[in-house]
Amino acid sequence: MATTTATTLAASAGDGSSPTSRSTVTTIAAQAYHVLKINGYSNTLKAGCHYPLSSCPFSAGGHTWHVSYYPNGCRDSNKDCISIFLALEGIVTEDRRTCWQKLHSACSIDTGTRARGFENFIRRDELERSEYLNDDYFAVAAHVIILKKKPSVIVPPSNMHLQYGDFLVSKEGTDVKFLVGGEMFVAHRLVLAARSPVFKATKKGTIDAIQIDNMEARVFKALLGFIYTDIWPEIGHGKDNVAMAQQLLAAADRYGLQRLKFVYEDKLCNHIDTCSVSTMLVLVEKHHCCKLKEACSTFLSSMSPPIVEDPNSSIFGSELEKTVSSSENHGSQINRTDIRIQPWQNTEV
């Protein structure tokens, strides 16, 4: 991707609509996460006051946005603070204007760029003493949610994954056993068959348990959890955690769980270093991981790239999360934008 500055910034974005409920209206029209990573924080301080460093553009709700980072504040009155703004690109038409009106009082407005955000996001001395700055690196995440229509009925979110998870934990009605790494697991053949073509092809036999070799018990447990709930375990930093992610990718490919495979391929792309790159390349060849192969090639061609894009869309709140909401009534519709910008700790792979 093209870079907009010579500083070591990194950003990611995802754009997608939420699934519609059984009512006839859509509550969330679009949403996006954008993670801006600042690698080399001390170097960014060389930028003058009022000078922003910008992320790569991303899309949400049919519009293009970017995050602006002012390392020395956006004006003289907050030169000891970091300023963060979310900017809406392009000509401000009527539909764009509704995204910005009636903002929460906590949000400030950059009149020069039509951006919305926080002039006094955090004092630099507070950031430098905090846990968010490590090895001259920190990150912020912007979460944009655009609501366009008012629902006629409030439909609660689906909890089917919780019900299936309880079904697995209760062991009620289980009809198949697995012996993995010395531990016994029980499950339901129909659930496994519905989710995995490999399990579907497994015929019912007379043996007490199906033995699975070359897999750790914790990996199989996580695999079962994904099959029943569509939720994957969050993997943190560290050699053991990266190894767990590698094993989960291999297990997902082994049982035809493509979504889980793509999840961990994406995560592993962000954990390539001189110690792990050879193992990553073995995974690439065994499990046909095209994106991981590209990431390894990029790493090998440049050991210290100035820009690292992070496509992960699973961002969690933090103590310093700041939220801005805006809404405007237009007849029976409500146009609303929620913006959350917060220091972000990468606890995932």
Side-chain angles (χ1 to χ4, degrees), residues 155-215:
V155 179
S158 172
N159 64 348
M160 185 171 66
H161 64 290
L162 298 177
Q163 294 171 336
Y164 270 83
D166 292 342
F167 194 40
L168 174 63
V169 172
S170 71
K171 301 182 181 180
E172 181 181 353
T174 55
D175 55 0
V176 62
K177 297 179 181 179
F178 297 94
L179 182 61
V180 187
E183 293 187 30
M184 189 71 71
F185 297 88
V186 294
H188 305 81
R189 288 183 181 273
L190 283 177
V191 176
L192 300 181
R195 298 279 281 163
S196 165
V198 176
F199 281 124
K200 185 176 183 179
T202 303
K203 295 182 179 180
K204 186 176 181 179
T206 57
I207 58 176
D208 292 335
I210 299 173
Q211 183 168 332
I212 296 180
D213 299 318
N214 302 320
M215 184 180 297

Side-chain angles (χ1 to χ4, degrees), residues 18 76 158 182 204 226:
S18 64
D76 291 336
S158 172
K204 186 176 181 179
F226 175 79

Side-chain angles (χ1 to χ4, degrees), residues 19-285:
T20 56
S21 66
R22 291 189 177 274
S23 63
T24 59
V25 293
T26 302
T27 57
I28 298 179
Q31 60 180 320
Y33 276 107
H34 201 85
V35 179
L36 176 63
K37 291 183 176 181
I38 294 86
N39 295 318
Y41 160 73
S42 57
N43 287 332
T44 67
L45 300 180
K46 297 176 183 178
C49 190
H50 315 158
Y51 182 78
L53 305 176
S54 297
S55 73
C56 295
F58 64 100
S59 177
H63 305 307
T64 302
W65 314 72
H66 71 266
V67 177
S68 293
Y69 158 59
Y70 292 78
N72 296 298
C74 62
R75 62 181 70 219
D76 291 336
S77 60
N78 53 34
K79 61 183 179 181
D80 295 326
C81 297
I82 288 173
S83 301
I84 299 289
F85 288 91
L86 180 68
L88 177 63
E89 297 183 354
I91 300 173
V92 180
T93 57
E94 185 61 31
D95 65 324
R96 280 186 168 95
R97 189 173 292 110
T98 60
C99 293
W100 293 110
Q101 294 173 344
K102 295 185 179 179
L103 290 176
H104 190 279
S105 59
C107 180
S108 55
I109 301 173
D110 186 334
T111 56
T113 61
R114 301 190 305 274
R116 302 295 191 274
F118 302 94
E119 293 183 357
N120 304 314
F121 180 62
I122 188 173
R123 288 182 58 88
R124 282 195 304 278
D125 55 357
E126 291 180 10
L127 173 65
E128 291 164 7
R129 293 193 303 266
S130 74
E131 60 185 350
Y132 299 108
L133 182 65
N134 288 293
D135 297 325
D136 208 31
Y137 157 89
F138 78 99
V140 293
H143 183 198
V144 183
I145 301 175
I146 299 175
L147 305 180
K148 288 189 176 180
K149 295 182 180 180
K150 182 179 180 180
S152 56
V153 177
I154 303 299
V155 179
S158 172
N159 64 348
M160 185 171 66
H161 64 290
L162 298 177
Q163 294 171 336
Y164 270 83
D166 292 342
F167 194 40
L168 174 63
V169 172
S170 71
K171 301 182 181 180
E172 181 181 353
T174 55
D175 55 0
V176 62
K177 297 179 181 179
F178 297 94
L179 182 61
V180 187
E183 293 187 30
M184 189 71 71
F185 297 88
V186 294
H188 305 81
R189 288 183 181 273
L190 283 177
V191 176
L192 300 181
R195 298 279 281 163
S196 165
V198 176
F199 281 124
K200 185 176 183 179
T202 303
K203 295 182 179 180
K204 186 176 181 179
T206 57
I207 58 176
D208 292 335
I210 299 173
Q211 183 168 332
I212 296 180
D213 299 318
N214 302 320
M215 184 180 297
E216 294 183 18
R218 61 172 183 162
V219 175
F220 189 75
K221 181 178 180 180
L223 199 72
L224 279 182
F226 175 79
I227 288 174
Y228 277 78
T229 68
D230 211 38
I231 297 174
W232 51 88
E234 301 299 339
I235 305 298
H237 289 280
K239 184 177 179 180
D240 185 62
N241 290 319
V242 173
M244 176 69 170
Q246 293 170 342
Q247 293 178 63
L248 279 168
L249 184 150
D253 187 50
R254 177 176 176 179
Y255 288 99
L257 301 170
Q258 290 301 308
R259 184 164 182 258
L260 186 62
K261 175 187 172 183
F262 292 149
V263 165
Y264 283 103
E265 181 178 2
D266 174 51
K267 292 179 181 295
L268 289 173
C269 285
N270 298 312
H271 285 267
I272 301 171
D273 55 31
T274 53
C275 296
S276 66
V277 66
S278 59
T279 305
M280 300 292 191
L281 289 172
V282 172
L283 283 175
V284 164
E285 295 305 317

